[in-house]
Amino acid sequence: MKNHFFFALLFLSAMALAQPEESYNYDETKVPKFQLPDLLTSFSGNAIETQQQWEENRRFEILQFFEKQVYGKVPDRLDEYSFKLLEESNDAYGGKARRKQVAISLKKNKRTITYNMLIYLPKGNPTAPVFLGYNFYGNHTVTTDPKVPITEAWVSNNKTFGITDNKASENTRSVRTHRWAIEKMLDNGYGLATIYYGEVDPDKNDFSDGVHQLFYQEGQDKPKTNEWGSIAAWAFGLSKAMDYLENDGNISDVIVFGHSRLGKAALWAGATDKRFAGVISNDSGCGGAALSKRKFGETVERINTSFPHWFADSFKKYNDNERTLPVDQHQLLALMAPRPLYVASAVEDQWADPKGEFLSTHYASKVYELYGKEGVTATNMPDVEQPIQKTVAYHIRNGKHDVTDYDWEQYIVWAKTFTK
Ligand code: GTR
Protein backbone atom coordinates (compact mmCIF):
# COMPACT_ATOMS: atom_id res chain seq x y z
CA MET A 1 0.00 0.00 0.00
CA LYS A 2 2.77 2.35 1.09
CA ASN A 3 4.56 1.57 -2.14
CA HIS A 4 1.55 2.50 -4.19
CA PHE A 5 1.28 5.79 -2.41
CA PHE A 6 4.93 6.52 -2.98
CA PHE A 7 4.71 5.75 -6.69
CA ALA A 8 1.56 7.82 -7.06
CA LEU A 9 3.37 10.75 -5.47
CA LEU A 10 6.40 10.23 -7.67
CA PHE A 11 4.19 10.07 -10.74
CA LEU A 12 2.33 13.25 -9.83
CA SER A 13 5.50 15.19 -9.16
CA ALA A 14 7.05 13.93 -12.40
CA MET A 15 3.95 15.16 -14.21
CA ALA A 16 4.14 18.54 -12.56
CA LEU A 17 7.75 18.82 -13.73
CA ALA A 18 6.91 17.68 -17.25
CA GLN A 19 4.24 20.34 -17.64
CA PRO A 20 5.40 23.92 -17.44
CA GLU A 21 1.77 25.02 -17.21
CA GLU A 22 1.69 25.11 -13.39
CA SER A 23 -1.16 27.52 -13.29
CA TYR A 24 -3.36 25.06 -15.16
CA ASN A 25 -5.69 22.83 -13.32
CA TYR A 26 -4.81 19.17 -12.99
CA ASP A 27 -6.89 18.65 -9.88
CA GLU A 28 -10.22 16.91 -10.37
CA THR A 29 -11.63 18.54 -7.23
CA LYS A 30 -11.06 21.96 -8.81
CA VAL A 31 -13.04 21.29 -11.96
CA PRO A 32 -15.75 23.96 -11.93
CA LYS A 33 -19.41 22.99 -11.61
CA PHE A 34 -20.82 23.09 -15.10
CA GLN A 35 -23.84 22.03 -17.01
CA LEU A 36 -23.41 20.36 -20.36
CA PRO A 37 -25.79 21.51 -23.07
CA ASP A 38 -28.17 18.66 -23.80
CA LEU A 39 -27.64 17.04 -27.16
CA LEU A 40 -31.27 16.19 -27.63
CA THR A 41 -32.80 19.56 -26.74
CA SER A 42 -32.64 22.19 -29.47
CA PHE A 43 -31.30 25.71 -28.81
CA SER A 44 -34.93 26.84 -28.71
CA GLY A 45 -35.83 24.19 -26.13
CA ASN A 46 -37.53 21.49 -28.23
CA ALA A 47 -37.00 17.82 -27.46
CA ILE A 48 -35.31 15.83 -30.24
CA GLU A 49 -36.72 12.33 -30.40
CA THR A 50 -36.11 10.91 -33.84
CA GLN A 51 -33.23 10.46 -36.26
CA GLN A 52 -35.00 12.79 -38.63
CA GLN A 53 -35.34 15.56 -36.04
CA TRP A 54 -31.70 15.06 -35.19
CA GLU A 55 -30.51 15.27 -38.77
CA GLU A 56 -32.74 18.07 -40.00
CA ASN A 57 -32.81 20.32 -36.97
CA ARG A 58 -30.44 19.59 -34.16
CA ARG A 59 -27.45 18.27 -36.09
CA PHE A 60 -27.74 21.16 -38.45
CA GLU A 61 -27.87 23.87 -35.77
CA ILE A 62 -24.96 22.35 -33.84
CA LEU A 63 -22.87 22.07 -36.99
CA GLN A 64 -23.64 25.69 -37.83
CA PHE A 65 -22.65 26.84 -34.38
CA PHE A 66 -19.30 25.08 -34.55
CA GLU A 67 -18.83 26.43 -38.04
CA LYS A 68 -19.46 30.07 -37.19
CA GLN A 69 -18.28 30.30 -33.60
CA VAL A 70 -15.57 27.69 -33.16
CA TYR A 71 -13.62 26.49 -36.22
CA GLY A 72 -14.85 29.07 -38.75
CA LYS A 73 -16.53 28.86 -42.14
CA VAL A 74 -14.86 28.04 -45.43
CA PRO A 75 -15.54 31.36 -47.23
CA ASP A 76 -16.51 30.07 -50.65
CA ARG A 77 -16.20 27.26 -53.16
CA LEU A 78 -13.01 26.69 -55.09
CA ASP A 79 -12.94 27.67 -58.76
CA GLU A 80 -11.23 24.43 -59.62
CA TYR A 81 -9.35 21.51 -58.15
CA SER A 82 -7.39 18.73 -59.77
CA PHE A 83 -5.30 15.66 -59.04
CA LYS A 84 -2.16 14.44 -60.68
CA LEU A 85 -0.64 11.01 -60.18
CA LEU A 86 3.04 11.86 -59.72
CA GLU A 87 4.32 8.32 -59.53
CA GLU A 88 3.19 4.82 -58.81
CA SER A 89 4.97 1.58 -57.96
CA ASN A 90 4.22 -2.02 -57.18
CA ASP A 91 7.18 -2.82 -55.01
CA ALA A 92 6.94 -0.74 -51.85
CA TYR A 93 7.55 -2.40 -48.49
CA GLY A 94 9.46 -5.29 -50.00
CA GLY A 95 6.72 -5.96 -52.53
CA LYS A 96 3.94 -5.96 -49.95
CA ALA A 97 2.43 -2.70 -51.06
CA ARG A 98 1.76 -0.43 -53.93
CA ARG A 99 2.63 3.20 -53.59
CA LYS A 100 1.00 6.17 -55.23
CA GLN A 101 1.95 9.80 -54.83
CA VAL A 102 -0.70 12.25 -55.86
CA ALA A 103 -0.54 16.03 -56.16
CA ILE A 104 -3.73 17.83 -55.19
CA SER A 105 -4.14 21.35 -56.58
CA LEU A 106 -6.71 23.85 -55.35
CA LYS A 107 -7.46 26.95 -57.36
CA LYS A 108 -9.33 30.16 -56.58
CA ASN A 109 -9.01 33.73 -57.85
CA LYS A 110 -6.18 32.65 -60.19
CA ARG A 111 -4.12 31.47 -57.22
CA THR A 112 -3.15 27.83 -56.67
CA ILE A 113 -1.78 25.71 -53.87
CA THR A 114 -0.58 22.15 -54.34
CA TYR A 115 -0.04 19.47 -51.72
CA ASN A 116 1.13 15.88 -52.01
CA MET A 117 -0.55 12.77 -50.74
CA LEU A 118 1.44 9.58 -50.19
CA ILE A 119 -0.60 6.37 -50.43
CA TYR A 120 0.37 2.79 -49.59
CA LEU A 121 -2.10 0.06 -50.42
CA PRO A 122 -1.84 -3.59 -49.47
CA LYS A 123 -1.61 -5.91 -52.43
CA GLY A 124 -3.91 -8.86 -52.73
CA ASN A 125 -7.31 -7.27 -53.00
CA PRO A 126 -8.45 -4.96 -55.77
CA THR A 127 -9.69 -2.47 -53.18
CA ALA A 128 -8.72 -1.79 -49.58
CA PRO A 129 -9.88 0.52 -46.80
CA VAL A 130 -7.41 3.23 -45.83
CA PHE A 131 -6.57 5.44 -42.91
CA LEU A 132 -6.18 9.04 -44.01
CA GLY A 133 -4.16 11.26 -41.71
CA TYR A 134 -1.91 14.28 -41.71
CA ASN A 135 1.70 14.07 -40.57
CA PHE A 136 3.61 16.84 -38.78
CA TYR A 137 6.94 17.05 -40.64
CA GLY A 138 6.54 15.74 -44.18
CA ASN A 139 5.50 12.52 -45.92
CA HIS A 140 9.14 11.45 -45.99
CA THR A 141 9.18 11.30 -42.16
CA VAL A 142 6.59 8.51 -41.85
CA THR A 143 8.53 5.88 -43.83
CA THR A 144 12.03 4.67 -44.69
CA ASP A 145 10.97 4.51 -48.35
CA PRO A 146 13.61 6.50 -50.31
CA LYS A 147 11.11 7.19 -53.11
CA VAL A 148 9.22 9.71 -51.03
CA PRO A 149 10.51 13.24 -51.69
CA ILE A 150 11.44 15.59 -48.86
CA THR A 151 8.77 18.25 -48.44
CA GLU A 152 9.77 21.66 -49.71
CA ALA A 153 7.16 23.43 -47.63
CA TRP A 154 7.71 25.44 -44.46
CA VAL A 155 8.13 23.15 -41.43
CA SER A 156 8.36 24.00 -37.72
CA ASN A 157 11.87 24.14 -36.36
CA ASN A 158 12.73 21.14 -34.21
CA LYS A 159 16.05 20.70 -32.39
CA THR A 160 15.76 16.93 -32.14
CA PHE A 161 15.26 16.66 -35.88
CA GLY A 162 17.92 19.29 -36.62
CA ILE A 163 15.46 21.62 -38.35
CA THR A 164 16.64 25.20 -37.76
CA ASP A 165 15.61 27.16 -40.87
CA ASN A 166 12.06 25.89 -41.32
CA LYS A 167 13.26 23.51 -44.01
CA ALA A 168 13.20 19.73 -43.87
CA SER A 169 16.35 17.98 -45.07
CA GLU A 170 17.31 14.40 -45.93
CA ASN A 171 18.26 14.00 -42.23
CA THR A 172 14.61 14.06 -41.31
CA ARG A 173 13.69 11.08 -43.47
CA SER A 174 11.94 8.40 -41.38
CA VAL A 175 12.11 10.34 -38.07
CA ARG A 176 8.43 9.70 -37.39
CA THR A 177 8.06 6.06 -38.48
CA HIS A 178 7.21 5.03 -34.92
CA ARG A 179 3.95 6.97 -35.15
CA TRP A 180 2.74 5.12 -38.25
CA ALA A 181 2.43 1.34 -37.98
CA ILE A 182 2.39 1.03 -41.76
CA GLU A 183 3.40 -2.63 -41.93
CA LYS A 184 0.74 -3.54 -39.38
CA MET A 185 -1.84 -1.74 -41.48
CA LEU A 186 -0.69 -3.51 -44.66
CA ASP A 187 -0.58 -6.92 -43.00
CA ASN A 188 -4.17 -6.41 -41.87
CA GLY A 189 -5.45 -5.35 -45.27
CA TYR A 190 -5.40 -1.59 -44.64
CA GLY A 191 -3.73 1.15 -46.56
CA LEU A 192 -2.47 4.55 -45.46
CA ALA A 193 -2.91 7.91 -47.13
CA THR A 194 -0.93 10.74 -45.57
CA ILE A 195 -0.29 14.41 -46.26
CA TYR A 196 2.04 16.93 -44.66
CA TYR A 197 -0.36 19.40 -43.06
CA GLY A 198 1.95 22.37 -43.63
CA GLU A 199 1.49 22.05 -47.39
CA VAL A 200 -2.20 22.85 -46.89
CA ASP A 201 -1.64 25.57 -44.31
CA PRO A 202 1.67 26.25 -42.57
CA ASP A 203 1.12 26.08 -38.81
CA LYS A 204 1.99 29.65 -37.86
CA ASN A 205 0.07 32.72 -36.88
CA ASP A 206 0.24 34.27 -40.30
CA PHE A 207 -2.51 34.01 -42.86
CA SER A 208 -0.49 35.14 -45.85
CA ASP A 209 0.08 31.63 -47.13
CA GLY A 210 -1.60 28.26 -47.41
CA VAL A 211 -5.17 27.68 -48.47
CA HIS A 212 -6.66 30.78 -46.77
CA GLN A 213 -5.12 33.32 -49.13
CA LEU A 214 -6.68 31.70 -52.21
CA PHE A 215 -9.99 33.18 -51.13
CA TYR A 216 -8.97 36.76 -50.29
CA GLN A 217 -10.60 39.74 -51.93
CA GLU A 218 -8.38 42.67 -52.83
CA GLY A 219 -6.79 44.19 -49.77
CA GLN A 220 -7.72 41.29 -47.49
CA ASP A 221 -4.93 39.64 -45.53
CA LYS A 222 -6.71 37.39 -43.08
CA PRO A 223 -10.01 35.53 -42.78
CA LYS A 224 -13.07 37.40 -41.45
CA THR A 225 -14.24 36.96 -37.83
CA ASN A 226 -16.46 33.93 -38.48
CA GLU A 227 -14.22 32.44 -41.12
CA TRP A 228 -11.83 29.52 -40.89
CA GLY A 229 -8.74 29.22 -38.81
CA SER A 230 -6.06 26.63 -39.51
CA ILE A 231 -7.95 23.64 -38.07
CA ALA A 232 -10.82 24.22 -40.51
CA ALA A 233 -8.29 24.74 -43.31
CA TRP A 234 -6.66 21.39 -42.53
CA ALA A 235 -10.09 19.73 -42.40
CA PHE A 236 -10.86 21.23 -45.81
CA GLY A 237 -7.61 19.76 -47.17
CA LEU A 238 -8.69 16.32 -45.94
CA SER A 239 -12.03 16.70 -47.64
CA LYS A 240 -10.37 17.54 -50.95
CA ALA A 241 -8.12 14.51 -50.49
CA MET A 242 -11.32 12.51 -50.09
CA ASP A 243 -12.46 13.76 -53.49
CA TYR A 244 -9.45 11.98 -54.91
CA LEU A 245 -9.64 8.86 -52.71
CA GLU A 246 -13.26 8.08 -53.50
CA ASN A 247 -12.38 7.98 -57.20
CA ASP A 248 -9.02 6.23 -56.96
CA GLY A 249 -10.55 2.89 -57.84
CA ASN A 250 -8.42 0.86 -55.42
CA ILE A 251 -9.85 2.30 -52.21
CA SER A 252 -13.02 1.28 -50.38
CA ASP A 253 -13.61 3.03 -47.05
CA VAL A 254 -11.66 6.00 -45.76
CA ILE A 255 -11.20 6.42 -42.01
CA VAL A 256 -9.95 9.86 -41.12
CA PHE A 257 -7.34 9.90 -38.37
CA GLY A 258 -5.37 12.57 -36.55
CA HIS A 259 -3.14 13.09 -33.55
CA SER A 260 -3.36 16.09 -31.29
CA ARG A 261 -3.97 19.33 -33.28
CA LEU A 262 -4.41 17.09 -36.29
CA GLY A 263 -6.91 15.04 -34.27
CA LYS A 264 -8.91 18.24 -33.88
CA ALA A 265 -8.71 18.65 -37.66
CA ALA A 266 -9.75 15.02 -38.23
CA LEU A 267 -12.81 15.50 -36.01
CA TRP A 268 -13.82 18.66 -37.82
CA ALA A 269 -13.30 16.91 -41.17
CA GLY A 270 -15.48 14.01 -40.00
CA ALA A 271 -18.17 16.45 -38.85
CA THR A 272 -18.26 18.43 -42.08
CA ASP A 273 -17.79 15.57 -44.55
CA LYS A 274 -20.01 12.53 -44.16
CA ARG A 275 -18.06 10.55 -46.74
CA PHE A 276 -15.52 9.57 -44.07
CA ALA A 277 -16.59 6.08 -43.01
CA GLY A 278 -15.03 6.43 -39.57
CA VAL A 279 -13.17 9.00 -37.49
CA ILE A 280 -10.24 8.59 -35.08
CA SER A 281 -9.12 11.22 -32.60
CA ASN A 282 -5.77 10.39 -31.00
CA ASP A 283 -5.02 12.62 -27.97
CA SER A 284 -6.88 15.57 -29.54
CA GLY A 285 -7.61 17.35 -26.24
CA CYS A 286 -8.88 20.92 -26.02
CA GLY A 287 -10.86 21.96 -29.09
CA GLY A 288 -10.89 18.26 -30.07
CA ALA A 289 -12.57 15.52 -28.08
CA ALA A 290 -12.13 17.00 -24.56
CA LEU A 291 -14.99 18.85 -22.85
CA SER A 292 -14.10 22.56 -22.69
CA LYS A 293 -16.28 23.34 -19.69
CA ARG A 294 -14.15 21.16 -17.40
CA LYS A 295 -11.24 23.57 -17.80
CA PHE A 296 -8.87 20.73 -16.99
CA GLY A 297 -5.40 20.95 -18.57
CA GLU A 298 -5.44 23.13 -21.68
CA THR A 299 -8.25 25.73 -21.67
CA VAL A 300 -9.95 27.76 -24.38
CA GLU A 301 -8.06 30.87 -23.34
CA ARG A 302 -4.75 29.10 -23.35
CA ILE A 303 -5.22 27.47 -26.75
CA ASN A 304 -6.44 30.73 -28.32
CA THR A 305 -3.42 32.51 -26.88
CA SER A 306 -0.74 29.98 -27.83
CA PHE A 307 -2.31 29.28 -31.21
CA PRO A 308 -4.32 32.37 -32.20
CA HIS A 309 -4.62 31.06 -35.75
CA TRP A 310 -6.20 27.67 -35.07
CA PHE A 311 -9.84 28.66 -34.53
CA ALA A 312 -12.16 31.34 -35.93
CA ASP A 313 -11.59 34.72 -34.33
CA SER A 314 -15.14 34.50 -33.00
CA PHE A 315 -14.09 31.63 -30.70
CA LYS A 316 -11.97 34.02 -28.65
CA LYS A 317 -15.03 35.40 -26.91
CA TYR A 318 -15.10 32.15 -24.95
CA ASN A 319 -11.64 32.72 -23.51
CA ASP A 320 -11.98 32.05 -19.77
CA ASN A 321 -15.68 32.06 -20.48
CA GLU A 322 -16.41 28.41 -21.24
CA ARG A 323 -19.49 28.66 -19.02
CA THR A 324 -21.34 30.66 -21.64
CA LEU A 325 -20.52 28.34 -24.55
CA PRO A 326 -23.85 27.03 -25.88
CA VAL A 327 -22.10 23.84 -27.07
CA ASP A 328 -19.40 21.53 -25.83
CA GLN A 329 -17.18 19.02 -27.57
CA HIS A 330 -19.46 15.99 -26.99
CA GLN A 331 -21.69 17.73 -29.52
CA LEU A 332 -18.87 17.83 -32.02
CA LEU A 333 -18.41 14.08 -31.50
CA ALA A 334 -22.14 13.48 -31.98
CA LEU A 335 -21.89 15.03 -35.46
CA MET A 336 -20.11 11.82 -36.57
CA ALA A 337 -23.15 9.67 -35.74
CA PRO A 338 -24.02 7.06 -36.84
CA ARG A 339 -20.52 6.53 -38.26
CA PRO A 340 -17.93 4.77 -36.09
CA LEU A 341 -15.86 7.09 -33.91
CA TYR A 342 -12.77 6.27 -31.83
CA VAL A 343 -11.34 8.58 -29.18
CA ALA A 344 -8.05 7.67 -27.52
CA SER A 345 -6.14 9.22 -24.62
CA ALA A 346 -2.84 8.63 -22.83
CA VAL A 347 -2.23 8.50 -19.08
CA GLU A 348 0.62 11.01 -19.14
CA ASP A 349 -1.22 13.39 -21.43
CA GLN A 350 -3.16 15.25 -18.74
CA TRP A 351 -2.86 18.45 -20.81
CA ALA A 352 -5.42 16.87 -23.19
CA ASP A 353 -7.72 15.91 -20.27
CA PRO A 354 -8.29 12.16 -20.77
CA LYS A 355 -11.31 12.19 -18.48
CA GLY A 356 -12.87 15.03 -20.47
CA GLU A 357 -12.20 13.07 -23.67
CA PHE A 358 -13.82 9.98 -22.20
CA LEU A 359 -16.90 11.80 -20.87
CA SER A 360 -17.34 13.41 -24.24
CA THR A 361 -17.67 9.97 -25.90
CA HIS A 362 -20.15 8.95 -23.22
CA TYR A 363 -22.39 11.98 -23.72
CA ALA A 364 -22.14 11.83 -27.52
CA SER A 365 -23.39 8.24 -27.41
CA LYS A 366 -26.95 9.43 -26.82
CA VAL A 367 -27.18 10.32 -30.50
CA TYR A 368 -25.77 6.96 -31.56
CA GLU A 369 -28.56 5.35 -29.57
CA LEU A 370 -31.09 7.19 -31.74
CA TYR A 371 -29.68 5.13 -34.60
CA GLY A 372 -29.74 1.90 -32.61
CA LYS A 373 -25.93 1.96 -32.37
CA GLU A 374 -24.01 1.19 -29.24
CA GLY A 375 -21.79 3.87 -27.82
CA VAL A 376 -19.93 4.29 -24.55
CA THR A 377 -22.53 3.53 -21.89
CA ALA A 378 -20.13 3.48 -18.93
CA THR A 379 -19.92 6.66 -16.90
CA ASN A 380 -16.59 5.72 -15.34
CA MET A 381 -13.39 5.59 -17.34
CA PRO A 382 -12.24 2.10 -18.27
CA ASP A 383 -8.99 0.81 -16.81
CA VAL A 384 -5.80 1.64 -18.61
CA GLU A 385 -5.44 -0.40 -21.82
CA GLN A 386 -8.91 -1.92 -21.48
CA PRO A 387 -10.52 -0.49 -24.62
CA ILE A 388 -14.25 -0.11 -25.07
CA GLN A 389 -14.92 -0.82 -28.72
CA LYS A 390 -18.45 -0.25 -29.86
CA THR A 391 -19.59 2.06 -32.67
CA VAL A 392 -18.17 4.69 -30.35
CA ALA A 393 -14.83 3.48 -29.00
CA TYR A 394 -12.46 4.73 -26.34
CA HIS A 395 -9.18 3.72 -24.78
CA ILE A 396 -6.58 5.19 -22.51
CA ARG A 397 -3.10 3.73 -22.78
CA ASN A 398 0.03 4.08 -20.72
CA GLY A 399 2.58 6.65 -21.78
CA LYS A 400 2.80 10.09 -23.23
CA HIS A 401 1.19 12.33 -25.82
CA ASP A 402 2.07 10.32 -28.92
CA VAL A 403 0.80 7.72 -31.38
CA THR A 404 2.03 4.23 -30.62
CA ASP A 405 1.72 0.71 -32.01
CA TYR A 406 -0.71 0.03 -29.20
CA ASP A 407 -3.00 2.77 -30.53
CA TRP A 408 -2.83 1.43 -34.10
CA GLU A 409 -3.44 -2.16 -32.99
CA GLN A 410 -6.70 -1.02 -31.37
CA TYR A 411 -7.75 1.10 -34.34
CA ILE A 412 -7.19 -1.80 -36.73
CA VAL A 413 -9.13 -4.35 -34.64
CA TRP A 414 -12.01 -1.89 -34.32
CA ALA A 415 -11.94 -0.85 -37.99
CA LYS A 416 -12.34 -4.51 -38.99
CA THR A 417 -15.82 -4.49 -37.45
CA PHE A 418 -17.13 -2.07 -40.07
CA THR A 419 -14.86 -1.56 -43.09
CA LYS A 420 -15.30 -3.23 -46.44
C1 GTR B 1 0.02 21.51 -27.83
C2 GTR B 1 -1.37 22.08 -27.79
C3 GTR B 1 -2.37 20.98 -27.88
C4 GTR B 1 -2.03 19.97 -28.95
C5 GTR B 1 -0.53 19.75 -29.14
C6 GTR B 1 -0.11 19.05 -30.43
O1 GTR B 1 1.00 22.44 -27.68
O2 GTR B 1 -1.50 22.77 -26.59
O3 GTR B 1 -3.66 21.52 -28.08
O4 GTR B 1 -2.60 20.31 -30.14
O5 GTR B 1 0.18 20.90 -29.08
O6 GTR B 1 -0.66 19.26 -31.50
O7 GTR B 1 0.87 18.29 -30.35
Side-chain angles (χ1 to χ4, degrees):
M1 208 48 210
K2 250 189 189 156
N3 259 346
H4 275 108
F5 183 68
F6 174 75
F7 281 116
L9 256 183
L10 198 71
F11 174 70
L12 285 174
S13 28
M15 263 189 10
L17 282 177
Q19 294 287 354
E21 302 87 5
E22 274 117 24
S23 58
Y24 290 85
N25 181 38
Y26 290 114
D27 178 351
E28 200 53 46
T29 66
K30 296 202 177 112
V31 167
K33 282 216 163 30
F34 63 89
Q35 206 181 355
L36 279 185
D38 185 30
L39 260 168
L40 297 183
T41 307
S42 74
F43 289 137
S44 56
N46 297 326
I48 305 299
E49 281 154 0
T50 65
Q51 280 174 33
Q52 195 184 356
Q53 288 170 339
W54 163 255
E55 274 170 33
E56 287 171 13
N57 308 323
R58 187 63 172 144
R59 184 183 192 280
F60 182 73
E61 66 175 13
I62 293 173
L63 184 68
Q64 270 209 324
F65 186 89
F66 276 104
E67 193 176 52
K68 292 197 185 135
Q69 308 298 336
V70 183
Y71 302 102
K73 277 166 75 76
V74 180
D76 200 353
R77 299 175 85 91
L78 291 164
D79 292 338
E80 230 180 281
Y81 56 91
S82 58
F83 310 108
K84 187 172 166 201
L85 183 63
L86 299 173
E87 77 79 53
E88 177 171 30
S89 150
N90 245 325
D91 63 2
Y93 284 87
K96 232 188 242 186
R98 19 181 169 175
R99 181 186 62 236
K100 301 188 193 194
Q101 300 192 67
V102 178
I104 303 173
S105 295
L106 313 182
K107 209 168 189 180
K108 181 79 182 170
N109 297 322
K110 305 209 167 71
R111 296 184 282 268
T112 308
I113 66 155
T114 298
Y115 55 102
N116 293 332
M117 174 158 57
L118 166 66
I119 305 170
Y120 290 114
L121 294 173
K123 289 210 242 167
N125 288 323
T127 66
V130 301
F131 296 102
L132 165 67
Y134 279 122
N135 59 73
F136 280 81
Y137 286 94
N139 294 347
H140 66 282
T141 62
V142 312
T143 174
T144 50
D145 186 345
K147 295 283 165 49
V148 181
I150 311 287
T151 184
E152 284 166 17
W154 182 96
V155 290
S156 289
N157 286 337
N158 180 315
K159 269 202 198 123
T160 319
F161 298 160
I163 308 173
T164 52
D165 53 356
N166 301 114
K167 274 205 86 59
S169 71
E170 188 59 44
N171 295 340
T172 59
R173 184 177 297 284
S174 77
V175 291
R176 276 288 166 83
T177 50
H178 77 276
R179 281 195 174 176
W180 301 90
I182 298 178
E183 299 224 38
K184 280 205 168 85
M185 295 177 201
L186 295 170
D187 293 343
N188 282 281
Y190 286 85
L192 172 70
T194 186
I195 298 164
Y196 167 49
Y197 80 133
E199 291 181 7
V200 175
D201 184 36
D203 192 357
K204 50 190 162 99
N205 184 22
D206 156 8
F207 283 106
S208 64
D209 47 17
V211 67
H212 295 100
Q213 48 83 29
L214 297 182
F215 292 83
Y216 294 160
Q217 307 298 317
E218 255 200 58
Q220 191 183 353
D221 60 5
K222 61 174 201 248
K224 297 181 187 145
T225 313
N226 290 332
E227 286 180 353
W228 52 352
S230 291
I231 292 172
W234 298 322
F236 181 78
L238 291 169
S239 231
K240 290 291 128 198
M242 185 65 195
D243 287 345
Y244 168 82
L245 295 168
E246 67 173 359
N247 292 307
D248 173 274
N250 297 126
I251 291 163
S252 53
D253 292 322
V254 179
I255 302 174
V256 66
F257 156 89
H259 169 61
S260 204
R261 66 197 68 183
L262 300 177
K264 308 181 212 291
L267 287 170
W268 187 233
T272 49
D273 190 336
K274 289 185 176 174
R275 294 173 300 172
F276 292 115
V279 182
I280 302 173
S281 146
N282 192 93
D283 306 356
S284 66
C286 180
L291 294 174
S292 303
K293 290 178 193 284
R294 280 173 45 80
K295 299 181 81 169
F296 188 102
E298 189 168 31
T299 61
V300 170
E301 179 174 40
R302 170 62 193 245
I303 204 165
N304 277 333
T305 308
S306 320
F307 307 102
H309 58 296
W310 280 4
F311 297 86
D313 250 357
S314 45
F315 190 45
K316 298 196 171 90
K317 63 175 166 294
Y318 299 104
N319 284 355
D320 197 24
N321 194 18
E322 288 88 343
R323 209 174 32 84
T324 65
L325 249 175
V327 295
D328 210 328
Q329 299 303 108
H330 64 304
Q331 289 169 302
L332 172 72
L333 298 190
L335 297 176
M336 315 307 157
R339 293 163 297 154
L341 162 73
Y342 204 130
V343 172
S345 315
V347 174
E348 291 169 52
D349 186 18
Q350 295 295 311
W351 187 234
D353 185 15
K355 185 169 179 191
E357 295 189 307
F358 165 75
L359 287 174
S360 206
T361 62
H362 169 73
Y363 291 115
S365 295
K366 238 181 163 176
V367 174
Y368 282 79
E369 282 157 25
L370 272 186
Y371 289 87
K373 303 270 182 193
E374 210 177 334
V376 172
T377 46
T379 47
N380 289 326
M381 287 181 79
D383 287 342
V384 175
E385 298 182 8
Q386 294 296 319
I388 301 172
Q389 295 193 348
K390 306 291 180 188
T391 304
V392 184
Y394 176 83
H395 75 239
I396 177 162
R397 62 154 170 80
N398 282 309
K400 293 201 198 40
H401 186 69
D402 201 355
V403 195
T404 66
D405 276 15
Y406 177 86
D407 294 317
W408 280 113
E409 283 156 16
Q410 311 319 308
Y411 301 150
I412 290 168
V413 168
W414 166 79
K416 283 187 177 174
T417 63
F418 65 88
T419 52
K420 293 188 281 293

